[in-house]
Amino acid sequence: MERQERFENIPKWEKLDKDMLANIFKKLDMVDVIMGASRVCITWFLASHNKTIWNTIKLNDFDSIVLDNPSNPHLQDLDNNNGGKHLNSLREILTEINKFSRAAPVEFFFNANTNVLEQDLAIISNGLPNIRKLALRMQKTQNLNSFTSSFSKWKNLQTLIIAKFTRDDDDLKHEFKAIAENCRNLTTIKITCTLDQELANIIVGKLPNLKSLSFRCTYVSVEAVKSLIFGLYNLKSLNLSHCIFLKRHNNDVGNHPLHPQYYINFGYKQWGTDEMKEFEF
């Protein structure tokens, strides 16, 4: 009888304070909160909607979401990597994030191995208009209007980390121009895109308030670098430490393919790190 009374006095998980549960859920991967913890009971479901959980979204879990890495399509071999664990589609998770977060997120970081499509951006831009810091990798867009529409909703975007997957992809100048025209509050950019005079002109002409700029694992034209230095009056930090400099004419920039290891190194080692602290996540 006494033993039974002691057992009944032990606090139950479903009766934990919701704020305490929210602090625990912050330690979990987002997918585990959405597909796991939130489905345990009504108390956990309500706690999983606490806005403090969703201020920063990091989709880093390697074996919960189907990754679409064009340069490594066998990255998620079910037999070798995740033991047959169920994988959720990225679009399904993004839709659920919209429901749980209720427009709270201000930082959103995609997995380095996820090819983010225009449809993915449309989901989060419609539901999460307050994004200020964004990191994504992509190929050339198939629908530039849709891409532009998504970024037009992020008027408060201040920090952007954007990369392509392979050297064979277009250099994303059209996409970057669309971003620059719609996100005038951008002050911090990290990009893997060949820096030639055309891109330098876009940056100088569209983003005069830029303060920090980091080019990673790519070719840069010396003349284009000069244009940035002399044209961006508010620029305080310029990181070119992982780039190859070309002195020849701009038309030759990018005609010499980079070794694939450059992209592998960026995706696995430098995606969330940088010599400049504002680019770390």
Side-chain angles (χ1 to χ4, degrees):
M1 185 70 175
E2 182 181 349
R3 182 179 180 182
Q4 182 178 355
E5 289 178 354
R6 287 202 307 266
F7 179 78
E8 290 176 351
N9 290 330
I10 297 176
K12 296 183 178 180
W13 278 100
E14 64 267 24
K15 293 183 178 180
L16 278 177
D17 179 79
K18 291 185 181 64
D19 290 335
M20 185 180 297
L21 280 171
N23 285 329
I24 295 173
F25 292 168
K26 288 178 186 177
K27 306 295 183 182
L28 301 178
D29 185 85
M30 290 298 172
V31 178
D32 291 331
V33 175
I34 293 170
M35 297 300 188
S38 68
R39 302 183 178 187
V40 171
C41 62
I42 185 61
T43 302
W44 285 32
F45 176 78
L46 294 175
S48 65
H49 286 73
N50 189 308
K51 285 191 174 184
T52 61
I53 299 174
W54 304 98
N55 288 333
T56 298
I57 307 292
K58 290 185 178 181
L59 297 180
N60 292 330
D61 193 353
F62 187 86
D63 59 359
S64 293
I65 301 177
V66 176
L67 303 177
D68 179 20
N69 187 327
S71 61
N72 191 352
H74 302 293
L75 187 63
Q76 269 185 322
D77 190 302
L78 293 179
D79 294 330
N80 295 329
N81 286 335
N82 66 359
K85 181 179 178 181
H86 174 70
L87 298 177
N88 305 281
S89 73
L90 175 62
R91 212 151 295 168
E92 176 186 9
I93 295 302
L94 294 179
T95 301
E96 291 299 317
I97 286 175
N98 278 356
K99 297 176 184 177
F100 278 80
S101 63
R102 295 173 293 169
V106 293
E107 298 182 338
F108 203 113
F109 308 112
F110 283 93
N111 189 298
N113 294 294
T114 300
N115 179 28
V116 181
L117 304 177
E118 303 94 284
Q119 298 93 322
D120 304 323
L121 289 175
I123 292 173
I124 62 172
S125 65
N126 288 326
L128 313 177
N130 301 315
I131 297 294
R132 296 180 183 175
K133 189 171 184 177
L134 176 67
L136 72 154
R137 291 185 80 185
M138 58 186 297
Q139 290 181 292
K140 184 179 179 181
T141 58
Q142 301 299 315
N143 188 331
L144 186 59
N145 289 333
S146 175
F147 179 89
T148 302
S149 176
S150 294
F151 274 91
S152 69
K153 296 180 175 67
W154 288 321
K155 300 298 183 183
N156 296 319
L157 188 64
Q158 297 174 354
T159 300
L160 175 66
I161 301 168
I162 185 169
K164 55 185 181 177
F165 273 96
T166 67
R167 182 70 194 99
D168 296 331
D169 292 339
D170 200 305
D171 272 335
L172 300 178
K173 291 189 184 71
H174 295 297
E175 290 81 359
F176 190 79
K177 183 178 180 181
I179 293 171
E181 289 176 343
N182 287 281
C183 304
R184 294 303 183 104
N185 289 316
L186 273 171
T187 59
T188 309
I189 295 176
K190 174 179 176 179
I191 186 172
T192 58
C193 179
T194 300
L195 175 59
D196 58 12
Q197 193 61 52
E198 181 183 356
L199 181 58
N201 291 340
I202 293 173
I203 294 173
V204 172
K206 305 292 184 181
L207 298 169
N209 297 319
L210 206 59
K211 295 180 180 178
S212 301
L213 182 59
S214 179
F215 279 87
R216 304 298 294 240
C217 307
T218 189
Y219 283 116
V220 296
S221 158
V222 172
E223 292 302 315
V225 172
K226 291 179 181 178
S227 295
L228 294 179
I229 294 173
F230 291 114
L232 294 173
Y233 299 107
N234 295 304
L235 191 65
K236 296 180 179 179
S237 305
L238 178 61
N239 183 16
L240 303 169
S241 58
H242 295 267
C243 297
I244 297 176
F245 289 83
L246 294 178
K247 295 182 179 181
R248 53 175 68 93
H249 191 272
N250 278 303
N251 289 338
D252 291 332
V253 173
N255 287 340
H256 308 279
L258 286 171
H259 192 279
Q261 187 63 38
Y262 260 67
Y263 297 96
I264 295 174
N265 187 44
F266 180 83
Y268 290 96
K269 298 181 180 180
Q270 300 176 14
W271 179 238
T273 63
D274 197 273
E275 286 79 6
M276 297 159 69
K277 294 293 183 181
E278 53 263 53
F279 292 113
E280 294 185 355
F281 60 89

